[in-house]
Amino acid sequence: MTQHRRIIGLALLTLGAAVVVSLIIMFSFEPAPPIRDPLQVSEVKLESVPYMQRDGYVGSDQCRQCHEDQFHSWHASFHRTMTQLAGPETILADFNDVALQIQQRDYHLTNKDGQFWVKMENPDPNWPVEALAKSATATDNANPAEVAVDSAPVNKRVVMVTGSHHQQRYWAESEHGNALTLLPFAFLIAENRWVPADAIFVMPPQPAESVRPGKWVGAWNHNCIQCHSTGGQPFYNETASIVDTRVGELGIACEACHGAGQQHVDYHNGETSCKNLPDHFSKLFNPATVDSKQASQICGQCHAVADLDDSACSADWLTTGFRF
């Protein structure tokens, strides 16, 4: 009987230890939060920001269904938060009745029930959408196009955020599709303060015109989109003076380094159109399985200096975006 009790006691002790270890493991690894629709996070009007859907791209939430571990490590990175919709959860700067000034131009920042606004000179009147084409091939710091600006102040809603590590930049809506207007200030996160944007880049001294609001309409759509989004396509309509930018996903997500995933997903889901394809069609690019030169080229898409070499390349880029 004593031996029997010892066996039972040992079994209970082992079971208890297993439960304790399981609980430790469970609470040591915080699961990535559920994917939420961007509108539920920020309530930003989607027509005012880049359209988050591009043919061939599926988005990181699709990747998560089979690659939970990889999704978790990416979700905790600054790559994910490089570009986000504006909202109380993403804006780190103080917008509570803040007055800023640069080159004798005034900017008044406010936070109205979780919506972030800036009162400034109106950058939109007569802004020529062809400025995007000129900007794509600009070789100096000159203004890409003459833009007539109405000096009467207007309220513009901040709809998108760039950065989450050292600094943040803020983008306001415009009247030209989803072209975005850059505020000429940066918020330094560690120092918790606003600074003029031209103070954080190593550049020659800029004239007063460099901070004129109309100069930076569409800057994200033709420039920042190249590295701060996944699968970006500027898409501009010069005739209608409308920008219809789209991305596979905001921020630097799975498909920025592995390529568009629709064919991969269809193949593994057994879609009829993919059943007869050879195995290599199901595989995405994996930098870990290639030599260092190829792997560095993937990082070099953004972590290197590149420029479009002729007008034909620029025209193609402004419509189709870069190909992986």
Side-chain angles (χ1 to χ4, degrees):
M1 181 64 68
T2 302
Q3 181 67 23
H4 180 66
R5 288 179 178 174
R6 287 179 179 175
I7 293 174
I8 293 176
L10 183 60
L12 291 174
L13 183 62
T14 303
L15 178 62
V19 171
V20 171
V21 171
S22 298
L23 290 174
I24 291 174
I25 293 174
M26 182 185 303
F27 289 103
S28 296
F29 297 95
E30 181 183 354
I35 293 294
R36 289 179 290 171
D37 186 287
L39 269 180
Q40 296 176 1
V41 176
S42 67
E43 298 182 352
V44 167
K45 295 184 297 182
L46 287 187
E47 61 267 26
S48 65
V49 297
Y51 183 56
M52 286 172 278
Q53 185 173 343
R54 176 179 173 178
D55 290 345
Y57 286 76
V58 296
S60 55
D61 55 338
Q62 281 274 0
C63 306
R64 182 183 190 178
Q65 296 180 23
C66 295
H67 305 284
E68 178 70 32
D69 289 346
Q70 291 83 353
F71 176 92
H72 182 80
S73 63
W74 163 78
H75 195 275
S77 72
F78 291 114
H79 274 156
R80 176 183 67 85
T81 55
M82 176 56 72
T83 302
Q84 303 176 91
L85 297 181
E89 298 181 5
T90 58
I91 287 186
L92 303 179
D94 180 12
F95 270 74
N96 295 312
D97 195 25
V98 174
L100 300 174
Q101 188 181 73
I102 185 170
Q103 299 288 2
Q104 299 182 343
R105 289 185 167 90
D106 295 317
Y107 294 78
H108 182 211
L109 314 181
T110 53
N111 179 352
K112 301 177 181 178
D113 298 323
Q115 295 184 5
F116 299 83
W117 297 83
V118 55
K119 188 175 185 179
M120 61 181 183
E121 290 181 9
N122 189 0
D124 287 320
N126 303 318
W127 176 73
V129 73
E130 61 269 18
L132 290 185
K134 294 181 180 180
S135 298
T137 54
T139 56
D140 55 35
N141 294 322
N143 193 20
E146 292 299 321
V147 183
V149 179
D150 185 349
S151 60
V154 294
N155 275 313
K156 292 287 185 180
R157 185 173 175 183
V158 175
V159 294
M160 207 170 73
V161 180
T162 295
S164 64
H165 190 190
H166 300 296
Q167 60 176 275
Q168 278 195 329
R169 304 294 305 275
Y170 301 96
W171 304 88
E173 61 190 349
S174 78
E175 298 171 5
H176 302 279
N178 55 25
L180 297 166
T181 300
L182 178 64
L183 274 64
F185 299 92
F187 183 76
L188 302 183
I189 297 170
E191 299 178 28
N192 193 36
R193 69 187 181 105
W194 290 95
V195 297
D198 58 5
I200 62 173
F201 287 96
V202 180
M203 298 175 64
Q206 299 291 295
E209 285 296 287
S210 68
V211 296
R212 183 160 51 86
K215 175 178 172 62
W216 299 110
V217 176
W220 191 91
N221 304 72
H222 75 80
N223 188 356
C224 309
I225 188 177
Q226 299 177 39
C227 291
H228 293 174
S229 70
T230 300
Q233 294 177 301
F235 274 122
Y236 75 100
N237 185 325
E238 185 171 337
T239 302
S241 193
I242 288 293
V243 180
D244 184 27
T245 295
R246 58 199 66 186
V247 296
E249 191 166 354
L250 291 177
I252 304 160
C254 311
E255 291 162 295
C257 299
H258 297 288
Q262 185 67 65
Q263 195 172 61
H264 174 80
V265 171
D266 289 348
Y267 182 91
H268 287 284
N269 284 342
E271 297 289 339
T272 303
S273 61
C274 296
K275 283 183 177 178
N276 297 322
L277 291 175
D279 285 345
H280 71 269
F281 276 86
S282 71
K283 298 177 181 177
L284 293 173
F285 183 82
N286 184 355
T289 62
V290 297
D291 61 43
S292 59
K293 181 178 180 179
Q294 283 186 294
S296 64
Q297 288 174 344
I298 293 299
C299 304
Q301 294 178 101
C302 294
H303 296 280
V305 178
D307 199 3
L308 300 172
D309 57 5
D310 57 44
S311 57
C313 287
S314 299
D316 184 58
W317 148 245
L318 288 171
T319 52
T320 63
F322 289 134
R323 294 171 177 81
F324 182 80

